[in-house]
Amino acid sequence: MPVFRSRKPDDEQVEVQVSEDMLLVVDRAVHPFVVMVHDPAGFRAEQFRSLRNKLEAMNPDGASKSLVITSAIRNEGKTITAINLALAFAELERMPALLVDGDLRAPSVENHLNLNPEAGLSDVLLGRVGLERAIRESGLRNLSIMGAGTRLTGPSELITAPRIEELFARLKERFQYVIVDTPPALPATDASVMAARADGSLVVVRLEHSSKSLTREAIKNLSDLGANVLGTFVTEVRGLNPDVDPRFASEEDF
């Protein structure tokens, strides 16, 4: 039986049965909402697999793709969505996946995965390190990550269209899917710049928290700047019949 381990001492690890022939040893400190780790056979994990399958269906030629995950405002679940979706793609052996923390203002990917911060996106864009150093294993099967890197006071000056376009092109040469967590779309321009250079973008909407007007505004801003908005993913949906597909609506539904 294959066993995949994280990098923490044994007293911080817990075993999760992924399938009959696979055992995953993960950190207790991994964020509890990373359901693809803590409850990979559960209903919520299946929602991310369903989202993955819908996105795959939009890519019939199987080309390498970059996907930006954002939201209108903070606290809508975009980072957790990005992590779980990246892990869903990583389940497919033929599709090595990369998760990029593109939120240079409030990075959290490494923290959610209980990893120490290392050189990452900002350092690559500044030319301080190469991709080989910035990309590292997550400790989870078939998933690599690139953290946010060195904290900057003015990240918008670093995130320019030519730099992001070149970066995405290089990353897609190595990975089938590149999932990028960005800042919210309305408070800063970072998400719009990245989304405009990505193959697609997904807007996360937190039920009973998000404002329809702000969500519409965020989608319009992204689209006006050239982003290919594939749709929205609604979080914190309660009371759904497990037989019903997750809510994955187009922007017209708002």
Side-chain angles (χ1 to χ4, degrees), residues 3-6 10 13-16 23-27 139-140:
V3 176
F4 299 91
R5 294 185 178 274
S6 62
D10 290 341
Q13 293 178 338
V14 62
E15 295 182 351
V16 176
L23 189 66
L24 184 66
V25 182
V26 299
D27 299 330
L140 302 169

Side-chain angles (χ1 to χ4, degrees), residues 20-229:
E20 291 184 0
D21 61 349
M22 186 179 299
L23 189 66
L24 184 66
V25 182
V26 299
D27 299 330
R28 291 189 179 93
V30 170
H31 196 289
F33 288 170
V34 182
V35 294
M36 295 298 297
V37 166
H38 291 294
D39 189 20
F43 171 64
R44 291 181 177 86
E46 285 302 313
Q47 309 315 297
F48 288 103
R49 294 188 182 100
S50 179
L51 173 60
R52 174 201 68 196
N53 293 342
K54 290 175 185 293
L55 293 169
E56 277 203 276
M58 296 179 183
N59 183 26
D61 61 355
S64 297
K65 297 294 183 181
S66 53
L67 178 67
V68 157
I69 310 295
T70 189
S71 58
I73 57 177
R74 291 208 175 273
N75 299 319
E76 300 205 55
K78 65 178 183 59
T79 301
I80 290 297
T81 298
I83 294 172
N84 280 301
L85 181 58
L87 285 165
F89 276 117
E91 285 184 337
L92 306 176
E93 290 290 349
R94 70 184 188 281
M95 293 187 175
L98 173 68
L99 174 62
V100 179
D101 192 340
D103 191 345
L104 303 185
R105 299 172 186 274
S108 57
V109 167
E110 288 165 313
N111 182 59
H112 283 359
L113 293 176
N114 197 28
L115 298 172
N116 294 325
E118 293 185 7
L121 175 61
S122 64
D123 303 289
V124 171
L125 295 178
L126 286 168
R128 294 174 178 172
V129 301
L131 289 182
E132 292 299 327
R133 182 178 170 191
I135 296 173
R136 56 179 168 143
E137 296 301 316
S138 66
L140 302 169
R141 183 174 64 93
N142 211 29
L143 177 67
S144 299
I145 70 163
M146 178 189 293
T150 303
R151 296 294 293 269
L152 304 173
T153 56
S156 58
E157 299 175 3
L158 185 61
I159 300 174
T160 63
R163 283 174 173 160
I164 297 301
E165 186 170 14
E166 179 185 0
L167 175 65
F168 285 174
R170 292 173 63 191
L171 293 176
K172 288 195 298 179
E173 292 176 355
R174 297 183 51 178
F175 297 93
Q176 186 72 22
Y177 276 92
V178 178
I179 311 299
V180 186
D181 177 38
T182 73
L186 293 182
T189 61
D190 307 19
S192 297
V193 174
M194 293 189 193
R197 293 300 177 271
D199 296 305
S201 58
L202 190 69
V203 178
V204 175
V205 180
R206 180 179 169 190
L207 194 65
E208 299 180 357
H209 172 82
S210 304
S211 160
K212 288 186 177 181
S213 61
L214 291 179
T215 300
R216 290 194 192 100
E217 183 181 352
I219 291 171
K220 184 178 186 302
N221 287 355
L222 292 168
S223 299
D224 287 349
L225 290 175
N228 176 23
V229 181

